[in-house]
Amino acid sequence: MNSLVPVLAALMLATTAVFAASEAILAPPPQPVPEAFGELLITRDENAPNACDIELYVQNELVARVAPGQSVSIPVPAGEVSLRVAQHGSGYCAGQFAGNAQSAIIAPGEVRHLRIVQDEHEVFLAPAAD
């Protein structure tokens, strides 16, 4: 009977290994990690120097038009994001101010609050005091 103990122990180990391997095969494949996003909160002061809408571009794509006193919230992929603002409209408002490209590095889950600043020469984004 003492000679059966090592054989039974080896069979139990082999059975355990087979069950562990079958569980690994039957387990669902790991799900891909969704791309991490952050958020831009863009605000325009009610006391803007004019009533022209300001266009907001993210990665060179128009994503919003912001009037004086408005705020917009935009989800953006985490990482470096290219931003630009420009005055929109026709007549007096037609392309009078076009801002230079700016960039921001957004962490996953971060909410970055920026404000639209406009003076007599240019329009740009600046950090907002929360």
Side-chain angles (χ1 to χ4, degrees), residues 96-110:
Q96 196 171 9
F97 299 108
N100 293 323
Q102 298 176 255
S103 66
I105 298 176
I106 307 297
E110 177 184 6

Side-chain angles (χ1 to χ4, degrees), residues 39-44 56 64-66 70-74:
E39 181 181 350
L40 289 175
L41 178 58
I42 309 293
T43 302
R44 187 163 176 215
L56 172 64
R65 287 197 176 101
V66 186
Q70 277 190 328
S71 291
V72 294
S73 176
I74 300 158

Side-chain angles (χ1 to χ4, degrees), residues 2 32 50 56 62-63 86-87 105 128:
N2 285 351
N50 63 49
L56 172 64
L62 177 63
V63 296
Q87 191 168 298
I105 298 176

Side-chain angles (χ1 to χ4, degrees), residues 10-126:
L11 283 174
M12 279 185 59
L13 284 174
T15 305
T16 303
V18 168
F19 282 124
S22 66
E23 283 180 16
I25 292 171
L26 297 175
Q31 297 300 315
V33 176
E35 188 175 356
F37 280 86
E39 181 181 350
L40 289 175
L41 178 58
I42 309 293
T43 302
R44 187 163 176 215
D45 188 16
E46 287 182 13
N47 300 322
N50 63 49
C52 302
D53 287 349
I54 299 295
E55 296 177 330
L56 172 64
Y57 294 84
V58 176
Q59 309 294 62
N60 292 319
E61 290 188 37
L62 177 63
V63 296
R65 287 197 176 101
V66 186
Q70 277 190 328
S71 291
V72 294
S73 176
I74 300 158
V76 293
E80 187 171 3
V81 178
S82 172
L83 305 168
R84 188 170 59 83
V85 288
Q87 191 168 298
H88 168 77
S90 60
Y92 172 77
C93 294
Q96 196 171 9
F97 299 108
N100 293 323
Q102 298 176 255
S103 66
I105 298 176
I106 307 297
E110 177 184 6
V111 176
R112 176 79 55 95
H113 190 182
L114 301 172
R115 63 187 179 98
I116 297 172
V117 177
Q118 185 174 357
D119 63 21
E120 61 275 353
H121 303 292
E122 64 183 330
V123 60
F124 57 93
L125 293 166

